Amino acid sequence: MMTIRRANERGHANHGWLDAHHTFSFADYHDPRWMGFRSLRVLNDDTIAGGGGFGTHPHRDMEIITYILSGALQHRDSMGHQAVLKPGDVQRISAGAGIEHSEFNYSPVEPVHLLQIWIKPERNGVKPDYAERSFGNGNAKQGLTLVASRGGREGSVSIHQDADLWLVRLGAGTDATHALKPGRHAWVQVADGELTLNGQTLHAGDGAALSEEAALTLGTKSPAQALLFDLN
């Protein structure tokens, strides 16, 4: 069973410095039909204008993952971490018992485009932690790459939840498959380009929830990039 969430159906907020699209209810956007999917609670498609950003603010008891599509993002947090994230980089903040952080566009002129993800942890109150990995830009490894998982398998960042996040990069005329074990569910979010998912066409910004499916088959006629969440 597949339920498609089209890009133009998402919540939208344009604050000038921030142009945000919300797949699920977030901030002032509320839709009781879209409160998340399994442990996936937030999936925001954000474009931050040059010089803009999120000032220092607190979080707790959430796994926060950021994936950079274009531009550069400057990070600072209360644990002493500082970083500049670039396209293909994945950042994970385990907010746990509580952290404060800021995220600003590193450029005063060029926008930065990113996907921000919140996953509910298996347990609350864990020790806060930070990690980042570079998975290269859109010309890097093709196919499926594991970028976040419980325990940090295969060089991925670790999260406190039984969830796998795969980065899907497909070249023109290529395809990929992902098996779903019984009782597992999936969310696919198209970041760039256009692809087919089990025969359905999805465009950039579209997402799809899948349950009671044995496998996911993704294909494309032109280069595309997506995130695939394998969830319990």
Side-chain angles (χ1 to χ4, degrees):
M1 179 176 68
M2 184 192 309
T3 302
I4 297 175
R5 174 74 151 149
R6 294 295 181 188
N8 62 2
E9 298 170 349
R10 298 175 296 176
H12 181 224
N14 193 331
H15 302 283
W17 65 272
L18 171 67
D19 189 13
H21 292 84
H22 309 307
T23 295
F24 305 118
S25 294
F26 185 83
D28 293 332
Y29 169 65
H30 180 78
D31 186 335
R33 300 169 300 172
W34 295 100
M35 297 300 297
F37 181 70
R38 313 300 296 182
S39 59
L40 178 58
R41 176 59 189 86
V42 168
L43 182 45
N44 291 342
D45 187 337
D46 291 344
T47 300
I48 302 171
F54 300 92
T56 302
H57 60 283
H59 285 289
R60 64 183 303 120
D61 296 324
M62 196 65 71
E63 302 292 296
I64 302 171
I65 300 171
T66 301
Y67 179 61
I68 308 298
L69 292 166
S70 63
L73 186 74
Q74 185 172 44
H75 165 86
R76 290 189 175 94
D77 65 42
S78 55
M79 295 177 284
H81 300 107
Q82 298 187 37
V84 176
L85 305 170
K86 297 180 179 180
D89 288 356
V90 170
Q91 175 203 77
R92 185 270 292 142
I93 300 172
S94 291
I99 61 99
E100 293 186 346
H101 74 123
S102 65
E103 310 288 340
F104 275 88
N105 189 337
Y106 187 64
S107 169
V109 179
E110 299 297 326
V112 56
H113 184 196
L114 58 93
L115 296 178
Q116 182 185 145
I117 299 139
W118 292 10
I119 294 176
K120 293 180 286 187
E122 293 175 312
R123 62 188 185 279
N124 291 338
V126 302
K127 182 180 178 181
D129 192 37
Y130 176 88
E132 62 182 76
R133 299 280 190 280
S134 177
F135 294 94
N137 60 26
N139 296 319
K141 179 184 173 183
Q142 300 292 291
L144 274 67
T145 302
L146 186 65
V147 298
S149 66
R150 184 167 67 181
R153 305 189 322 276
E154 301 175 25
S156 63
V157 297
S158 63
I159 57 174
H160 296 282
Q161 181 53 267
D162 182 12
D164 291 340
L165 172 55
W166 297 84
L167 173 60
V168 183
R169 290 185 175 126
L170 296 176
T174 63
D175 56 41
T177 60
H178 177 76
L180 277 182
K181 295 180 179 178
R184 302 288 293 186
H185 308 262
W187 183 277
V188 174
Q189 186 72 26
V190 183
D192 289 318
E194 174 186 310
L195 55 77
T196 58
L197 172 63
N198 289 8
Q200 296 291 321
T201 300
L202 301 178
H203 306 272
D206 290 349
L210 298 100
S211 298
E212 300 175 4
E213 300 277 352
L216 283 62
T217 300
L218 304 102
T220 182
K221 295 180 180 178
S222 57
Q225 187 173 197
L227 296 182
L228 189 163
F229 299 83
D230 187 321
L231 307 163
N232 65 2

